[in-house]
Amino acid sequence: DAGITQSPRYKITETGRQVTLMCHQTWSHSYMFWYRQDLGHGLRLIYYSAAADITDKGEVPDGYVVSRSKTENFPLTLESATRSQTSVYFCASGTGVQETQYFGPGTRLLVL
Amino acid sequence: KNQVEQSPQSLIILEGKNCTLQCNYTVSPFSNLRWYKQDTGRGPVSLTIMTFSENTKSNGRYTATLDADTKQSSLHITASQLSDSASYICVVKRYGGSQGNLIFGKGTKLSVKP
């Protein structure tokens, strides 16, 4: 009964490094999402995917890359990490347009 | 501009008391409104989701109301428990928007004290 998992849970990296955050869900939900959460802001959508091989930009996509070769996985890559990307990242999944989104436990990323 | 404003920013109540959290939105056209509970260090968990035609929806001790005319929603917590200490996030979806078109409030941080 894993549901939706994220790894790593905590990550420290340096400016300029490439970092990949993993997200895996066992429900076969068609939709998956990446959000970031920062103090003073609500959750902000980075990218989302409606199905395997279909991805689209959200509110704050710059500096991030996603892929979705399999329904259950939706990795988020920071190609060249910047300090402004220090944040808590949440992955979520859902079944359709009107349905609830189910969130993972989050990844805390610190970029030095 | 599509916005979701929540009040208060933070709230402290004693265990066993009731409280009400507010959400005002300017999102148009409206599709649905969701309340999430987020425990410290964890991801948000859905409490309720309401469409245009729904005025009230309950989930245990949580009752959400929606007035689509005034674009206001409230979340009422009855007989609070220590485990209710969390941030409560109001989220509004625009009608016809993609699944990604959700507007999140900044949340209300609730602390329940013994």
Side-chain angles (χ1 to χ4, degrees):
Chain A
D1 185 36
I4 182 164
T5 57
Q6 294 183 235
S7 62
R9 294 295 313 281
Y10 304 90
K11 178 72 177 179
I12 300 174
T13 190
E14 294 177 337
T15 302
R17 299 230 180 206
Q18 183 179 80
V19 176
T20 296
L21 309 184
M22 304 302 293
C23 179
H24 175 79
Q25 52 108 352
T26 60
W27 294 306
S28 298
H29 287 164
S30 56
Y31 286 86
M32 294 188 75
F33 312 83
W34 275 107
Y35 294 91
R36 59 178 291 173
Q37 187 174 41
D38 305 289
L39 282 175
H41 292 274
L43 283 154
R44 292 182 290 176
L45 182 67
I46 304 170
Y47 270 96
Y48 69 101
S49 169
D53 297 322
I54 301 174
T55 62
D56 208 346
K57 295 179 180 179
E59 181 185 354
V60 289
D62 293 343
Y64 302 95
V65 174
V66 293
S67 62
R68 193 156 176 219
S69 57
K70 292 184 178 181
T71 299
E72 61 267 30
N73 297 324
F74 191 38
L76 175 74
T77 298
L78 288 66
E79 293 191 301
S80 179
T82 65
R83 290 194 183 90
S84 65
Q85 292 177 310
T86 291
S87 186
V88 182
Y89 291 85
F90 288 100
C91 178
S93 69
T95 58
V97 174
Q98 296 290 77
E99 297 299 322
T100 298
Q101 291 184 20
Y102 298 88
F103 286 80
T107 294
R108 289 184 175 273
L109 176 67
L110 174 61
V111 183
L112 299 175
Chain B
K1 186 178 179 182
N2 292 303
Q3 288 186 310
V4 175
E5 301 287 341
Q6 292 187 243
S7 62
Q9 282 189 329
S10 61
L11 181 63
I12 301 173
I13 62 173
L14 292 176
E15 185 179 14
K17 297 295 186 182
N18 303 336
C19 68
T20 300
L21 313 181
Q22 299 291 342
C23 174
N24 296 337
Y25 61 92
T26 58
V27 179
S28 183
F30 174 86
S31 176
N32 61 57
L33 183 145
R34 309 152 188 231
W35 282 95
Y36 282 87
K37 178 187 179 190
Q38 185 176 20
D39 292 317
T40 301
R42 310 190 77 163
V45 175
S46 178
L47 293 175
T48 64
I49 180 169
M50 290 185 291
T51 60
F52 183 87
S53 60
E54 296 175 294
N55 300 119
T56 303
K57 186 165 274 191
S58 293
N59 179 355
R61 294 179 297 101
Y62 300 100
T63 299
T65 64
L66 173 64
D67 185 335
D69 291 332
T70 62
K71 297 188 177 181
Q72 295 180 325
S73 176
S74 64
L75 180 69
H76 186 75
I77 304 174
T78 303
S80 61
Q81 301 176 358
L82 298 178
S83 59
D84 293 330
S85 295
S87 287
Y88 292 84
I89 303 170
C90 177
V91 185
V92 179
K93 184 179 185 300
R94 292 182 65 219
Y95 179 80
S98 65
Q99 174 70 296
N101 202 358
L102 300 178
I103 296 101
F104 287 78
K106 296 180 182 179
T108 292
K109 185 171 183 178
L110 174 66
S111 297
V112 180
K113 303 295 186 183

